Amino acid sequence: IERREEICRQYNQVFAPMKEITTPWVSPDIRHARYIYPILVEQEHLKINRAQFIEALRAENIGSSVHFIPVHLHPYYRDKLGYKRGDYPVAESAYDRTISLPLFPHMTNKDVQDVIAAVKRIVDYYHR
């Protein structure tokens, strides 16, 4: 947890001031497991969407993930209960803009700096 917190602090220091992405917020009075580092892509400030951001990260040799599809879009709920896209627009908006950046305790400082540099390059290049 300590190493993950250290990585998150490095990410936050660089990413938090950027209007093109929103970083995760954790209340200072709790200890978070920091098992993922999700960012929100603020598309009004970028010329690309989440899928294109992920492709740009891949081109920079940085893996990323998309976590936590809204429950109502899972096949069971969609097929059995008839939920569809548009039923919960706030959850869908968050999902459509969220990317999880690499975060694991065995990341080296160079790994962390590579992620930071890649995100900065992408944001700078695709800034609106």
Side-chain angles (χ1 to χ4, degrees):
I1 291 174
E2 286 79 18
R3 176 61 178 152
R4 289 174 183 265
E5 286 176 347
E6 180 182 324
I7 294 167
C8 289
R9 279 192 297 277
Q10 291 179 56
Y11 283 168
N12 286 338
Q13 183 177 17
V14 176
F15 300 150
M18 296 178 164
K19 64 182 177 184
E20 297 84 2
I21 59 176
T22 298
T23 57
W25 181 84
V26 176
S27 177
D29 62 332
I30 66 166
R31 186 163 192 205
H32 193 283
R34 302 286 195 174
Y35 65 102
I36 62 171
Y37 188 88
I39 61 170
L40 288 175
V41 175
E42 300 297 349
Q43 291 175 237
E44 66 273 12
H45 297 295
L46 291 168
K47 298 174 187 170
I48 57 173
N49 61 27
R50 176 189 68 185
Q52 293 164 319
F53 201 108
I54 290 169
E55 285 303 314
L57 284 168
R58 185 173 295 135
E60 294 278 344
N61 205 29
I62 303 297
S64 61
S65 301
V66 176
H67 288 91
F68 309 118
I69 184 171
V71 171
H72 72 286
L73 296 179
H74 281 262
Y76 175 83
Y77 296 99
R78 187 187 63 224
D79 299 343
K80 295 288 184 185
L81 301 175
Y83 288 115
K84 63 189 175 310
R85 188 165 264 284
D87 286 343
Y88 296 93
V90 174
E92 293 165 20
S93 174
Y95 170 69
D96 291 341
R97 298 180 302 129
T98 302
I99 299 170
S100 294
L101 295 179
L103 176 63
F104 53 93
H106 297 295
M107 287 180 78
T108 66
N109 289 333
K110 182 181 180 324
D111 294 335
V112 175
Q113 290 308 308
D114 288 347
V115 173
I116 290 170
V119 170
K120 286 174 65 175
R121 274 193 296 273
I122 292 165
V123 166
D124 288 345
Y125 187 80
Y126 290 106
H127 173 76
R128 187 183 302 251

